[in-house]
Amino acid sequence: QVQLMESGGGLVQTGDSQRLSCIGSEGTFSSYVMGWFRQAPGKEREFVAAISKSADTTYYADSVKGRCTISRDNAKNTVYLQMNNLKPEDTAVYYCAAKRGLITRGQALYNYWGQGTQVTVSS
C-alpha cells in the first residue's frame, strides 16, 4: 500500500491560480497511476484529472480542461495539480488517489486515497 497526503489548499479569489501537491510514502511511486478528484458541498465526488505512471498520458474532466494541469515527479514521490483561472464552482475538497494498472477516470478503481485538502474560491 501507499500512503498519500495532499497539501496546497486554501482560500483564493476568482481568477487566481493554485497548485496542489500530493506526496506518497513509497519508493515505488512510479508504479502507480495517480488521479485527482474533488467533492463539492452537497455533491458527489467527481473526477478531475489523472496521469499515467510515466506521465506520457493525462486525462481531464471537461469542467477543468484548459485550466488545470496534472504532473508528477516520481523522484520526489509527488503528483501536482496546477489550477488556473479558478472559479467559485471549483470550491471543493480535493483528493489525490492511486491505483496500479492502467490509467482510468473511474474513481471506484483507485485503491488508495489521501485525506483531502480544501480549496475555496471566493466570488
Side-chain angles (χ1 to χ4, degrees):
Q1 297 185 352
V2 58
Q3 188 174 20
L4 305 173
M5 182 178 295
E6 304 94 337
S7 63
L11 176 64
V12 298
Q13 295 179 316
T14 298
D16 284 354
S17 296
Q18 191 169 32
R19 189 177 77 160
L20 306 181
S21 299
C22 174
I23 186 169
S25 62
E26 292 190 355
T28 56
F29 186 77
S30 62
S31 67
Y32 294 96
V33 170
M34 299 298 300
W36 284 97
F37 300 82
R38 67 186 183 186
Q39 187 167 21
K43 298 184 66 177
E44 297 295 317
R45 188 171 60 197
E46 65 178 0
F47 169 79
V48 177
I51 188 167
S52 62
K53 300 167 186 176
S54 59
D56 60 320
T57 303
T58 56
Y59 292 162
Y60 296 97
D62 289 340
S63 59
V64 303
K65 192 173 299 182
R67 299 190 297 118
C68 292
T69 302
I70 187 172
S71 61
R72 66 191 297 163
D73 187 339
N74 289 336
K76 296 181 178 179
N77 290 351
T78 303
V79 63
Y80 305 94
L81 183 67
Q82 176 69 45
M83 302 185 291
N84 301 321
N85 192 25
L86 285 165
K87 306 174 181 180
E89 305 90 88
D90 296 317
T91 296
V93 176
Y94 284 72
Y95 301 89
C96 67
K99 69 181 294 292
R100 296 187 180 275
L102 301 177
I103 187 171
T104 180
R105 298 173 178 85
Q107 61 183 291
L109 300 178
Y110 287 79
N111 307 109
Y112 312 105
W113 294 81
Q115 292 289 95
T117 185
Q118 176 72 50
V119 173
T120 302
V121 184
S122 65
S123 59

